[in-house]
Amino acid sequence: MQDMQTTQATSLDDVYKILSPKPLQTPEELELLYETQINQARGGDKTSRLKLGLIRAHDTTVPYKACVMGHQGVGKSTELNRLVKDIEDKFRAIRFSAIESLDPGNFQPLDVL
């Protein structure tokens, strides 16, 4: 199998080389492959709205809460990776896999903390 292409596809024959079920994670992947035009279809840049909420709550005692949801493969993790990249100077992201780290049968919300 051919290696994953790291440039934008310019023909239909190249599309399969860049399609992957994994999110864009590194700054390089985001820079090369993220298409900002997707935000038009989504009704605006949702990541910037999350960033704004976090920044507003940063110097207050009011916690910021948000929910990111969507079907598998629509870009939730990619958008969160964009957010982490945008706020890394003010916040520290803590990543974990709910599937690997939590027991679904005995999970309690405070287990995350």
Side-chain angles (χ1 to χ4, degrees), residues 36-96:
T36 56
Q37 293 96 341
I38 192 87
N39 293 324
Q40 287 179 322
R42 292 179 174 163
D45 186 355
K46 305 305 182 192
T47 302
S48 65
R49 295 174 82 192
L50 292 171
K51 179 181 176 181
L52 179 61
L54 286 169
I55 289 172
R56 285 179 174 166
H58 183 261
D59 294 323
T60 70
T61 59
V62 180
Y64 175 69
K65 297 176 259 183
C67 178
V68 177
M69 60 186 227
H71 294 286
Q72 183 176 358
V74 299
K76 298 176 300 294
S77 294
T78 294
E79 292 301 324
L80 290 174
N81 288 335
R82 284 184 62 224
L83 176 63
V84 168
K85 182 178 159 249
D86 285 349
I87 63 168
E88 63 190 359
D89 59 325
K90 288 190 180 276
F91 299 92
R92 179 175 299 167
I94 300 171
R95 298 174 179 267
F96 66 94

Side-chain angles (χ1 to χ4, degrees), residues 12-41:
L12 289 176
D13 289 335
D14 289 338
V15 169
Y16 80 93
K17 296 176 187 174
I18 63 167
L19 291 179
S20 171
K22 73 176 193 68
L24 301 177
Q25 296 178 328
T26 67
E28 295 80 20
E29 288 175 332
L30 287 166
E31 182 68 31
L32 288 170
L33 300 171
Y34 185 81
E35 284 294 333
T36 56
Q37 293 96 341
I38 192 87
N39 293 324
Q40 287 179 322

